[in-house]
Amino acid sequence: MARIGRWPRPEEEGKDSFYDDPRVRRLYEQAEQVIQDAVSPEKMKNNPYHGKPLDLKSNPHEGSYGLAFRMLKSSGFKLPWMEMRDEIGAEKEALHALTRQFTERLEAQGSRLEAQPHKRAFIRAEVVADQRQFHAELEERVNALRRRIAQFNLEVPVLHQQLINVRVEQFLNPYKERIDAAMARLAGDEDSV
């Protein structure tokens, strides 16, 4: 049987008692058999990728792990930290959507207040309750996301893939002008009465 790979044979490593263990020796032999079976001419005949070009798209995570990342990607798998990065991105998008929905609700309440001035106190109470609930939920979810990003940054093997942590203001600032205008509109109605 021809040697494939860089595993030392037990007889080559006679000084190390680890390789004297029959279980380790059996694992080496089984691994070599699996490799031999995989590269046998019979198996290569039925290879669906025979004669097709290799997909060698560059991967920003590569470094010294390039081959491993390509193999995982082509098999449809992701490393846990890559899945975590995708989940973090999805949560950031969800927080932006949450803030956008709150802004739209505020604007709708302002229009409702103009259309129904007799329900001013009720609409303002709804706005205050909605605002408190929104800020509590946003703060809770941002804090959970901060912990998740901190965990991700500890697990990611490539330093340049670490993520900058988030703050509540990061989600409010894109909508700040619209929120301030809607709140001023609601407060302005109060002053005119």
Side-chain angles (χ1 to χ4, degrees):
M1 178 185 293
R3 286 260 318 130
I4 296 178
R6 298 182 342 196
W7 293 322
R9 292 184 80 64
E11 54 271 9
E12 295 169 1
E13 297 290 332
K15 295 179 182 176
D16 191 351
S17 63
F18 176 76
Y19 297 105
D20 293 337
D21 188 347
R23 294 174 293 179
V24 173
R25 191 175 307 126
R26 190 172 348 112
L27 283 175
Y28 278 123
E29 290 169 0
Q30 288 174 350
E32 285 188 14
Q33 184 61 42
V34 167
I35 292 170
Q36 285 295 324
D37 291 344
V39 298
S40 68
E42 298 85 37
K43 295 276 184 176
M44 297 305 277
K45 285 180 190 175
N46 299 330
N47 186 347
Y49 301 104
H50 180 71
K52 295 181 182 176
L54 295 175
D55 182 16
L56 298 176
K57 294 177 185 170
S58 64
N59 186 337
H61 316 295
E62 281 185 0
S64 61
Y65 300 106
L67 177 62
F69 288 132
R70 279 194 300 274
M71 288 174 60
L72 285 170
K73 183 179 177 185
S74 66
S75 300
F77 293 101
K78 286 185 179 178
L79 292 173
W81 65 268
M82 290 178 172
E83 289 178 2
M84 190 184 303
R85 183 194 59 214
D86 294 344
E87 291 168 5
I88 288 170
E91 180 63 12
K92 283 181 179 180
E93 289 298 319
L95 288 172
H96 279 294
L98 178 73
T99 309
R100 184 178 55 252
Q101 290 167 357
F102 169 71
T103 305
E104 291 167 356
R105 282 195 313 268
L106 269 183
E107 291 168 342
Q109 293 289 40
S111 299
R112 187 172 153 216
L113 186 62
E114 289 174 358
Q116 300 173 344
H118 60 282
K119 293 186 176 182
R120 183 174 295 131
F122 177 72
I123 293 172
R124 285 196 185 112
E126 280 183 345
V127 168
V128 169
D130 189 26
Q131 188 176 18
R132 284 185 185 144
Q133 181 181 354
F134 164 73
H135 281 290
E137 181 180 355
L138 182 65
E139 197 162 320
E140 179 183 327
R141 287 178 68 178
V142 166
N143 287 334
L145 183 60
R146 288 179 60 81
R147 288 188 299 274
R148 186 90 172 155
I149 290 173
Q151 182 65 35
F152 171 81
N153 288 341
L154 290 173
E155 292 180 13
V156 66
V158 186
L159 288 177
H160 71 275
Q161 289 294 319
Q162 289 188 348
L163 300 174
I164 297 172
N165 225 323
V166 295
R167 298 185 329 266
V168 171
E169 296 81 22
Q170 190 174 340
F171 300 99
L172 289 174
N173 284 344
Y175 303 97
K176 184 172 178 20
E177 290 179 12
R178 288 174 61 190
I179 291 172
D180 289 346
M183 293 304 284
R185 191 170 161 192
L186 290 167
D189 286 337
E190 184 177 274
D191 296 338
S192 66
V193 175

